[in-house]
Amino acid sequence: MSTTSLPVPDRSPRLREALLAAAFTADGLLDLLGAPAYAALARSETVPALRATRGDAPLDTLVRLFLLQQPVPYERAAAALPLAECAEDGWVTRVGDEVRATVDVRPYSGPEGQDWYIVSDLGCAVGGAGGIGSREEGVVLGVGGASTTLAGITVRTPVASALDVGTGSGIQALHASQHASRVTATDLNPRALDFSRLTLALSGVAPAELRQGSLYEPVGTETYDLIVSNPPFVISPGARLTYRDGGMGGDDLCRTLVQQTGDRLNEGGYAHFLANWQHVEGEDWQSRLSAWVPFGCDAWIVQREVQDVTQYAELWLRDSGDHRTDPAEYAARYDAWLDEFEARKTKGVGFGWITLRKSAAAAAGNPSVVIEEWPHAVEQPLGPAVEAHFARQDYLREQDDAALLAGHFTLAAEVVQEQVGLPGAEDPEHVVLRQHRGMRRATKVDAVGAGFAGVCDGTLPAGRILDAIAQLMNEDPVLLRDRTPQAIRLLVEEGFLEPVPPAG
């Protein structure tokens, strides 16, 4: 797979026109297959989709050819495609009276409903024919859960320059092309750069500047307004599979990528990464990750999941199809993973997101570094919530307690109050504020906190609201003012309260 030649993108607009004309799009697929068969594809189960594409319409043909990787009759392929051009350019090949695809082409819907296409190696698009299950060293994957997660957490403000490190099949570069004047994409694997070129061309967007090399080596000292990377973050013994294995010891690749980012970001620029990190015996994982944050950058690191070393090894052995090999070979590979973890005193592996932002405050020695665990459901896209998080950190850095009490706040949209207690009880045991957007956080508050949040509509300063609450609850207003700013600070930091900008 990794040695075959790839299509050329020169006449991809003609192919794109044919795909669109046949409704070979994300919406068209859902309409044709129906929700159950469409969902089954994400589990690498193709039988429902094969049953749904037994017709002879061009869309049936294209789904079988490019998504399910089934041979189709020559006549049907000719009715659906500019077949001579596609064969000459290398998108398909003819074998007797049948036509086969040479690459996996998956319809992909952009954030504003754009009809895009992700081009990858056969059988390596999540939702494609066979899942991944590949042990080919240079294989290039299509779109998957990690790709869409990273795209969703990325801040999408217009920028002059964006860099996609480890572009793979070009998904992040594709998204960046919508709001960056110039996009650069790098990858250690030259085959990945070819696939990225195909993805961008077939999706009808501007080409990116493609450079081969590891991490930041291809871009030298150039700087960017946005950096994104879904790197080969898997912590494994050796670098057997380029698309996933970092090739450095432990989590050194992710650490190196993050630490070197400070010198590549422009002031105010964001960097977004997916990463794995070791939980090392005798070390606090949060302290360990805080050492990754480069000077001059604020950081928000969210751990979404932790697996013990056996779960982690089994996950990635299945990913590469090793569980289907000779049992002795599988056991030997499993042993090698556990040997590696034991040597590094690794007791678990965390997975999550890392966002950096270059800021003047961080450069002045006052960075905001938030490292937390949040395994709960969130609402994607999170890009706006990420941007708002850093804006709140900027605000809180500038406010002492007196300034907080003089500030005006509003309750964030979609926040509801829940009261929990025994039926018939006069007062609830506790009150919870819950978000229904973004991170979907929940926080327990006391009666003062609930009352304060409930009346925050931006009209009165916080101190005046607390004075009124003190009078209602027969509390000393001075003591209430002294003890409440920390609670206000927390509600602002977690996005329950939003500061109101001063008038004028």
Side-chain angles (χ1 to χ4, degrees):
M1 181 184 299
S2 60
T3 58
T4 58
S5 59
L6 295 180
V8 294
D10 299 356
R11 288 182 285 193
S12 54
R14 289 259 295 157
L15 173 56
R16 175 176 170 80
E17 289 173 8
L19 300 181
L20 293 175
F24 186 61
T25 63
D27 289 342
L29 276 181
L30 183 58
D31 290 342
L32 173 66
L33 302 181
Y38 191 81
L41 280 178
R43 304 189 299 269
S44 298
E45 295 291 348
T46 59
V47 171
L50 287 169
R51 290 174 60 85
T53 55
R54 289 180 292 192
D56 57 4
L59 181 55
D60 297 293
T61 301
L62 294 175
V63 173
R64 282 184 166 252
L65 181 65
F66 285 121
L67 192 60
L68 302 178
Q69 282 105 56
Q70 298 293 309
V72 300
Y74 180 88
E75 294 78 9
R76 287 179 56 183
L81 293 167
L83 191 54
E85 289 180 6
C86 288
E88 184 178 344
D89 292 347
W91 293 94
V92 299
T93 184
R94 181 174 181 177
V95 181
D97 292 331
E98 293 182 327
V99 173
R100 290 181 175 271
T102 61
V103 290
D104 190 311
V105 178
R106 177 176 173 80
Y108 179 68
S109 182
E112 297 178 0
Q114 302 98 323
D115 290 316
W116 289 340
Y117 297 95
I118 310 299
V119 187
S120 63
D121 269 312
L122 290 171
C124 293
V126 175
I132 300 173
S134 173
R135 295 193 290 169
E136 292 277 356
E137 180 183 350
V139 71
V140 177
L141 304 187
V143 63
S147 305
T148 55
T149 294
L150 179 58
I153 67 173
T154 299
V155 173
R156 296 295 176 191
T157 52
V159 295
S161 57
L163 172 65
D164 178 12
V165 180
T167 187
S169 54
I171 301 154
Q172 307 308 322
L174 183 57
H175 279 275
S177 71
Q178 302 304 288
H179 63 104
S181 300
R182 177 173 62 89
V183 178
T184 303
T186 71
D187 206 289
L188 180 64
N189 182 3
R191 186 177 174 80
L193 299 177
D194 290 336
F195 271 115
S196 183
R197 183 180 292 107
L198 292 171
T199 289
L200 297 173
L202 194 58
S203 297
V205 305
E209 182 180 358
L210 304 175
R211 303 186 191 179
Q212 183 185 353
S214 177
L215 301 182
Y216 291 115
E217 180 270 329
V219 299
T221 59
E222 294 177 35
T223 58
Y224 298 86
D225 303 311
L226 173 68
I227 298 173
V228 293
S229 182
N230 178 15
F233 53 65
V234 176
I235 301 170
S236 61
R240 187 164 57 116
L241 302 176
T242 304
Y243 73 86
R244 70 168 204 194
D245 298 329
M248 298 184 185
D251 53 18
D252 283 356
L253 182 135
C254 290
R255 176 185 57 79
T256 301
L257 177 63
V258 173
Q259 288 180 334
Q260 292 181 353
T261 297
D263 294 333
R264 271 74 181 190
L265 269 182
N266 292 326
E267 178 72 21
Y270 285 92
H272 303 275
F273 310 106
L274 299 187
N276 279 187
W277 44 78
Q278 297 169 130
H279 282 234
V280 179
E281 186 177 342
E283 295 185 32
D284 175 70
W285 71 271
Q286 291 170 309
S287 298
R288 192 168 181 276
L289 284 180
S290 68
W292 291 15
V293 179
F295 176 78
C297 288
D298 301 316
W300 185 19
I301 302 175
V302 181
Q303 180 168 272
R304 296 288 287 157
E305 182 182 3
V306 182
Q307 290 186 326
D308 67 48
V309 294
T310 59
Q311 291 174 311
Y312 189 80
E314 291 163 12
L315 169 67
W316 295 109
L317 287 168
R318 287 194 301 272
D319 170 79
S320 56
D322 286 298
H323 62 304
R324 294 193 291 268
T325 63
D326 175 71
E329 181 182 348
Y330 174 78
R333 291 196 183 279
Y334 199 152
D335 253 340
W337 284 68
L338 298 185
D339 286 344
E340 178 81 3
F341 288 133
E342 184 177 344
R344 296 183 177 277
K345 298 183 178 180
T346 302
K347 59 183 180 179
V349 178
F351 170 83
W353 322 319
I354 297 176
T355 296
L356 305 176
R357 185 192 58 165
K358 194 75 169 286
S359 78
N366 186 24
S368 165
V369 178
V370 177
I371 303 175
E372 61 177 319
E373 187 164 15
W374 190 254
H376 311 293
V378 299
E379 182 188 56
Q380 287 276 30
L382 270 174
V386 172
E387 189 175 14
H389 165 88
F390 286 97
R392 293 193 299 268
Q393 296 302 315
D394 287 343
Y395 171 83
L396 291 171
R397 271 189 293 213
E398 298 170 356
Q399 310 298 313
D400 59 16
D401 287 356
L404 276 181
L405 292 176
H408 295 239
F409 302 92
T410 58
L411 190 65
E414 304 294 330
V415 173
V416 298
Q417 176 178 302
E418 299 174 357
Q419 298 186 164
V420 180
L422 294 173
E426 185 174 345
D427 296 311
E429 292 180 13
H430 59 262
V431 177
V432 173
L433 299 181
R434 187 178 301 277
Q435 302 168 350
H436 285 280
R437 304 293 299 273
M439 292 292 285
R440 295 180 176 170
R441 297 187 188 276
T443 188
K444 188 187 296 186
V445 293
D446 60 13
V448 173
F452 181 85
V455 298
C456 277
D457 61 2
T459 58
L460 292 175
R464 289 273 301 278
I465 295 174
L466 290 177
D467 291 343
I469 292 174
Q471 185 174 2
L472 287 172
M473 301 181 68
N474 294 316
E475 291 207 30
D476 185 330
V478 176
L479 293 178
L480 191 60
R481 278 175 171 257
D482 284 345
R483 76 167 194 260
T484 306
Q486 185 57 37
I488 296 175
R489 195 174 293 276
L490 179 63
L491 289 174
V492 172
E493 181 176 350
E494 294 194 341
F496 291 95
L497 294 179
E498 297 177 348
V500 176

